[in-house]
Amino acid sequence: MIECPLCKSRRIYKSWEDGNYKIYKCTNCYVKFLYPIVKVENLYDSSYFQKWYIEFYQERKKYFKKILKKIKKLIPSKGKILDVGCGIGILLDLASEIGYEVYGQDISDFAIEFCSQKGFKVFKGNLSNLNFEIKFDIITMMDVIAHIKEPVNYLQKCKKLLEKDGILIIKTPLHSNYLFFIAKLFSFTKKSKSILHLPVQIYHFDKNSISKLAYFSGFKILKILTIKEFTGKKFNLLNLWKFFVEKSIIVILKKYDE
Ligand SMILES: [Zn+2]
């Protein structure tokens, strides 16, 4: 019997399928998840980063800048930042330019090599298995959590790595019922797979379920907001719909006092 990977409840039902993939919803914590999980090998190689990040370096940097501006009042203005899933280090560049002491983590050899060459201190491997000798004032996690098999453990690890008043910033795609509906409409094409980032994205969060995840992991929410998703610069009529339906959730979290 399938159980909810976040809260272990068995009160779940199949909420979406397209012939290839099935998405279940938990009625206890509201999370939607892909089941069974599909293993994708060697995803984060040089061509992946070239296509999605190197190509859009300036645009993505601007996008991160906008996010930081929106949450500026809630986060320490200096200190140590760890960017989990740092990729080619776009956020590390930005944060170091504005005076933070920056550190990165990634599972990709390419990403680690890329950031090391820029002179950043980066850690390679799954966050859950890494040992750090320092603690951080801020941990950022941009488009990572939805890909993690055990997100509660993952966030609990972040909690351990944060200073007493440390802040965790999570960005993840907002996959609303509306987006699932659109994906269903396109299920006769290959589009629905890309709309829902299947099968690499395991979890499909909305504001309710990401709030539950934060609570299960020992965090309280300082702020939760919705922003337009990053869609790149190659804008045309065919991808105009993205402008209206693709959104992201930003959550600013603080540890519950122990
Ligand atoms: Zn659940």
Side-chain angles (χ1 to χ4, degrees):
M1 196 178 185
I2 306 166
E3 64 178 27
C4 169
L6 281 199
C7 74
K8 309 295 173 203
S9 167
R10 290 188 170 171
R11 289 190 290 133
I12 56 169
Y13 65 92
K14 198 196 294 160
S15 80
W16 191 91
E17 67 179 318
D18 77 341
N20 287 314
Y21 306 110
K22 293 185 182 78
I23 309 273
Y24 290 83
K25 181 172 181 175
C26 172
T27 58
N28 184 49
C29 72
Y30 320 116
V31 77
K32 288 182 178 175
F33 56 96
L34 173 70
Y35 187 89
I37 292 173
V38 179
K39 207 166 162 39
V40 186
E41 300 282 354
N42 302 325
L43 180 64
Y44 305 112
D45 60 4
S46 62
S47 61
Y48 167 85
F49 285 108
Q50 182 63 45
K51 184 178 173 194
W52 299 107
Y53 292 90
I54 296 173
E55 181 88 350
F56 297 110
Y57 177 86
Q58 288 302 340
E59 292 81 1
R60 285 200 182 262
K61 199 171 172 186
K62 233 187 251 171
Y63 184 76
F64 283 150
K65 215 172 183 171
K66 256 191 211 162
I67 295 175
L68 286 183
K69 207 174 157 192
K70 280 182 197 288
I71 60 176
K72 207 175 153 191
K73 285 188 185 139
L74 296 166
I75 63 175
S77 59
K78 54 183 189 306
K80 296 186 182 73
I81 289 192
L82 172 68
D83 187 30
V84 171
C86 61
I88 61 161
I90 303 173
L91 188 57
L92 297 182
D93 283 331
L94 176 63
S96 74
E97 280 165 24
I98 54 180
Y100 290 100
E101 190 182 330
V102 300
Y103 300 83
Q105 171 276 341
D106 212 289
I107 53 167
S108 155
D109 289 328
F110 179 82
I112 292 295
E113 180 60 27
F114 202 95
C115 289
S116 301
Q117 278 185 10
K118 290 191 196 179
F120 290 131
K121 176 99 179 107
V122 280
F123 304 91
K124 183 179 182 290
N126 187 318
L127 185 73
S128 308
N129 307 327
L130 286 175
N131 290 315
F132 295 83
E133 280 162 11
I134 47 171
K135 288 198 168 192
F136 304 94
D137 301 288
I138 302 175
I139 295 180
T140 50
M141 202 181 275
M142 303 296 180
D143 294 320
V144 170
I145 198 67
H147 302 263
I148 303 297
K149 254 190 220 165
E150 296 188 354
V152 175
N153 292 352
Y154 210 73
L155 294 195
Q156 282 170 343
K157 173 79 182 212
C158 290
K159 196 178 165 187
K160 282 189 197 134
L161 296 176
L162 280 170
E163 292 283 4
K164 190 174 168 287
D165 291 316
I167 297 285
L168 173 62
I169 304 168
I170 298 176
K171 171 190 176 296
T172 195
L174 168 65
H175 283 180
S176 60
N177 290 338
Y178 179 56
L179 196 71
F180 276 96
F181 174 72
I182 304 256
K184 194 83 200 173
L185 286 183
F186 283 101
S187 60
F188 62 94
T189 70
K190 282 185 175 154
K191 270 262 184 296
S192 68
K193 187 178 154 216
S194 73
I195 291 171
L196 296 171
H197 310 161
L198 294 169
V200 288
Q201 191 168 327
I202 302 168
Y203 293 96
H204 301 269
F205 290 107
D206 61 12
K207 281 189 177 182
N208 281 330
S209 52
I210 198 85
S211 304
K212 289 278 188 185
L213 171 62
Y215 171 73
F216 294 148
S217 314
F219 285 95
K220 58 184 166 191
I221 295 175
L222 294 186
K223 190 171 179 136
I224 179 161
L225 57 141
T226 309
I227 59 163
K228 193 171 88 63
E229 183 58 289
F230 179 82
T231 45
K233 61 185 169 186
K234 285 167 186 156
F235 205 72
N236 60 46
L237 279 177
L238 284 175
N239 65 21
L240 187 65
W241 62 273
K242 287 188 169 196
F243 185 83
F244 297 103
V245 298
E246 291 206 329
K247 302 231 179 333
S248 240
I249 315 172
I250 310 286
V251 212
I252 319 301
L253 303 174
K254 200 176 170 186
K255 296 200 274 188
Y256 267 114
D257 298 328
E258 272 141 12

